[in-house]
Amino acid sequence: MAEVKAAFLFIGPEINTAQAQAQIKTPVINLKVVGVQNYEEAVNAAVALADEGIKCIELCGGFGNEGVGKISAAVRGKAAVGVVRFDHHPGLGFTSGDEGFC
């Protein structure tokens, strides 16, 4: 099986994107994990990841519908976008990312 290049983006306040990164490699998947503190950083990170050749980007449950839409539009045709879903994320005070990051 060919190696899959994928990424996981997570979002939260006070995240330093330059420091909040990890690379996980297995025989089947090469996963890059990136933390961002707002939707603008998330869009920029997603575009950079797609430009690196990552074809699958999964978003944490902190991204609301608007955030998912922004990222999906930014990488359309370059990468597929998937979402872990919480209507009200426990790590964000039980709110949607749309309430705090738009």
Side-chain angles (χ1 to χ4, degrees):
M1 178 176 208
E3 178 187 69
V4 175
K5 291 177 76 173
F8 179 75
L9 291 179
F10 65 98
I11 191 167
E14 300 181 39
I15 291 176
N16 180 333
T17 300
Q19 295 176 342
Q21 297 192 27
Q23 189 83 35
I24 302 166
K25 287 188 170 196
T26 74
V28 179
I29 191 164
N30 183 349
L31 177 68
K32 188 165 188 177
V33 179
V34 179
V36 297
Q37 65 177 311
N38 56 50
Y39 286 174
E40 182 180 353
E41 283 187 10
V43 167
N44 292 336
V47 168
L49 291 164
D51 288 345
E52 289 176 26
I54 288 175
K55 300 295 182 197
C56 172
I57 300 172
E58 183 144 11
L59 307 176
C60 86
F63 287 93
N65 294 326
E66 290 180 42
V68 172
K70 289 178 182 194
I71 292 165
S72 295
V75 299
R76 185 164 285 125
K78 295 181 184 179
V81 176
V83 185
V84 175
R85 252 353 272 148
F86 285 94
D87 289 331
H88 304 288
H89 195 285
L92 299 174
F94 294 96
T95 63
S96 165
D98 290 348
E99 295 173 40
F101 300 115
C102 273

